[in-house]
Amino acid sequence: MFDTATYIRRRNELKKLVKEGIILLFGNNESPANFPNNGYYPFRQDSSFLYYFGLQRDGLVGVIDIDNDRDILIGNDIDIEDIVWYGSVESMNEMRQRCGAHETMPMKALKTICNEALGKHRKIHFLPPYRHDIKILIFDLLGIHPGQQKDAAGMDLIRAVVKMRSTKEEQEIEELERAAVIGYKMHTTAMRLTKPGVTEKFVSGQVDGIAHSYGSMVSFPTIYTQHGEILHGAPSMNILEEGRLVLCDAGAETINNYCSDNTRTMPVNGKFTQQQLEIYSIVEACHDYALKIAKPGMKYADVHFAVCRLMFDRLKELGLAKGDTEEAVKAGAHAIFLPHGLGHMMGMDVHDMENLDQINVGFDEETRPNLEQFGTNCLRMGRRLEAGFVVTDEPGIYFIPALIDAWKAKGHCKDFLNFDKLEAYKDFGGIRIEDDLLITKDGCRFIGKDRIPYHPKDIEAFMAANQ
């Protein structure tokens, strides 16, 4: 948790942006894993509640009364039975003091607050809920059916939260740097353990343990797989095999829940084959090109398509692609190799603020998503970059057998793709390299003092020295 003044300042700024009414910020409750008293661990608080109130306990709601300039912390004090099992915790009043709210009220008062606001026809703002218990609570409080709550959520509040959370404060950047330290330990651990004969599950389990031992938790379920062409491939009990590539996409959250998100692709035996190097070097060049050109004022969609053109040019050199690069990218031919966007916003959520809808976070009135074209429809971030934004830089090349077969059968983009040569890559897998970029006043930089090895020679040297 940051200092009390941080949360008071943030809530005051939010009041100015939203202008009128009352704001309801719902904290999370415990979420049961398989029965009510066996909750998922560790507890994860809602990120927007954390941003404005900073409190990690379950069962809390923040009420920001803009018209009366009052901040109210809603929740019940823990009773003696809970203290027996979990130990003494802060009282509601102690938490109120830490976050700088004006007063506390028990949970039953929330219904009264909402009824009075509805009776006076005041605006009640809330963010789109994503947990079913909160949806039921909103239904009880405001009478809005869960199926209608996303549309009923206040756009004024959504825009204000996106505006504030998109630009990272210096103390947030420091937290992201701490997350990068944990991410470095996770990925270098994966490199040390990767070798023929061990299972994907074993390595990924060790990687997850690093996140839990140095921070709060993983920032998303770890991807560690020899099937890198499966974009969100979960670790399996498959044994790592000589000659294969393995892709590790993993990140951590700090105690204050700021995230890291990195991907590395490495040879299982520590040595790239010539074919692997040829594809890897293209992804490496694309990764570094984004770092070179991303800067304030530039649309991240333009960075994405610049990377796609570079990738397509290099794939033409290998004979896998052909034709005019500009026309090929316009037609979406590149998406057979790169079916996702270059990156996404990152911060307190690994896909920062994704519950507020990506069209509100990664796009704006000027830059709109193209939802019609395969691949392009998966861009999470297209808007103009600003100093203080944090985005991921994660190009990849994937050889997805089912996708190759489907496009070949339809003749889709046949003027730009050499399907016969692609046949030889259907057992290749996939490669992705990912780092986190902080947009600075005149360009960008990687987050993280220690660079996780990603140049081929560095990966090979690290694996040789640490196994």
Side-chain angles (χ1 to χ4, degrees), residues 65 72 125 174 210 220 224-225 246 261 333 366 374 406 434 455 466:
D65 186 336
I72 306 167
H125 310 268
E174 291 172 2
I210 297 290
F220 57 95
Y224 183 89
T225 176
V246 65
D261 183 6
E366 178 194 19
F374 177 82
E434 177 182 14
H455 297 303
N466 289 278

Side-chain angles (χ1 to χ4, degrees), residues 19 69 76 199 232 241 290 322 345:
K19 296 180 180 177
D69 193 23
N76 298 327
T199 66
H232 284 175
E241 299 175 8
K322 60 185 177 179
M345 287 278 212

Side-chain angles (χ1 to χ4, degrees), residues 137-151:
L137 177 58
I138 292 173
F139 181 62
D140 290 342
L141 294 171
L142 305 178
I144 303 171
H145 188 276
Q148 300 171 325
Q149 289 172 10
K150 182 179 178 181
D151 292 335

Side-chain angles (χ1 to χ4, degrees), residues 42-340:
F43 169 72
R44 180 53 158 91
Q45 185 60 281
D46 175 78
S47 295
S48 289
F49 181 87
L50 273 178
Y51 187 82
Y52 292 103
F53 285 87
L55 300 169
Q56 291 280 5
R57 210 201 80 180
D58 62 313
L60 301 175
V61 180
V63 176
I64 301 174
D65 186 336
I66 301 171
D67 305 321
N68 296 300
D69 193 23
R70 300 291 289 174
D71 303 333
I72 306 167
L73 182 63
I74 303 289
N76 298 327
D77 277 311
I78 299 299
D79 60 27
I80 190 64
E81 289 190 13
D82 284 323
I83 290 173
V84 167
W85 288 98
Y86 299 108
S88 295
V89 298
E90 287 182 307
S91 68
M92 288 295 298
N93 189 53
E94 288 170 329
M95 288 190 290
R96 176 197 67 79
Q97 293 175 17
R98 281 212 297 142
C99 71
H102 295 100
E103 58 185 309
T104 67
M105 292 185 182
M107 187 58 70
K108 65 181 181 181
L110 186 57
K111 180 67 173 176
T112 302
I113 291 171
C114 291
N115 284 344
E116 289 178 354
L118 291 169
K120 295 177 181 178
H121 304 289
R122 297 176 67 195
K123 284 189 176 181
I124 300 179
H125 310 268
F126 59 89
L127 297 173
Y130 52 91
R131 290 195 174 190
H132 291 91
D133 54 338
I134 301 301
K135 292 181 179 183
I136 293 169
L137 177 58
I138 292 173
F139 181 62
D140 290 342
L141 294 171
L142 305 178
I144 303 171
H145 188 276
Q148 300 171 325
Q149 289 172 10
K150 182 179 178 181
D151 292 335
M155 280 306 303
D156 290 341
L157 178 59
I158 290 171
R159 291 191 188 100
V161 171
V162 170
K163 178 180 176 63
M164 292 183 67
R165 285 183 58 189
S166 292
T167 304
K168 303 299 185 283
E169 303 165 357
E170 187 58 40
Q171 59 189 346
E172 293 182 281
I173 295 168
E174 291 172 2
E175 279 294 320
L176 290 166
E177 294 284 357
R178 293 186 186 100
V181 171
I182 306 172
Y184 177 87
K185 294 178 185 293
M186 294 170 74
H187 280 274
T188 52
T189 295
M191 288 183 180
R192 289 188 180 96
L193 295 176
T194 295
K195 58 186 175 183
V198 301
T199 66
E200 295 173 2
K201 275 280 191 183
F202 174 78
V203 178
S204 66
Q206 301 299 307
V207 167
D208 287 357
I210 297 290
H212 286 277
S213 61
Y214 286 95
S216 172
M217 58 190 290
V218 293
S219 52
F220 57 95
T222 294
I223 299 165
Y224 183 89
T225 176
Q226 293 171 103
H227 285 283
E229 78 279 6
I230 301 174
L231 301 183
H232 284 175
S236 71
M237 288 303 293
N238 290 339
I239 294 172
L240 299 185
E241 299 175 8
E242 184 87 24
R244 299 282 297 275
L245 292 171
V246 65
L247 185 151
C248 180
D249 188 344
E253 292 191 9
T254 66
I255 293 298
N256 288 320
N257 300 107
Y258 283 83
C259 298
S260 69
D261 183 6
N262 302 94
T263 306
R264 294 295 184 262
T265 309
M266 66 207 86
V268 169
N269 65 3
K271 189 76 175 173
F272 289 98
T273 68
Q274 183 58 35
Q275 186 192 53
Q276 290 167 352
L277 271 176
E278 288 172 350
I279 301 300
Y280 191 99
S281 67
I282 300 174
V283 181
E284 177 190 17
C286 292
H287 169 273
D288 291 352
Y289 189 52
L291 179 70
K292 181 179 178 181
I293 66 174
K295 61 183 178 181
M298 189 169 190
K299 293 179 183 177
Y300 209 50
D302 291 341
V303 180
H304 168 82
F305 286 113
V307 164
C308 292
R309 287 190 290 271
L310 172 61
M311 179 181 296
F312 205 81
D313 279 339
R314 294 284 299 273
L315 287 166
K316 286 198 297 186
E317 295 173 8
L318 294 180
L320 297 173
K322 60 185 177 179
D324 181 79
T325 295
E326 201 68 43
E327 290 302 313
V329 171
K330 185 177 179 181
H334 64 282
I336 197 170
F337 305 107
L338 178 60
H340 61 75

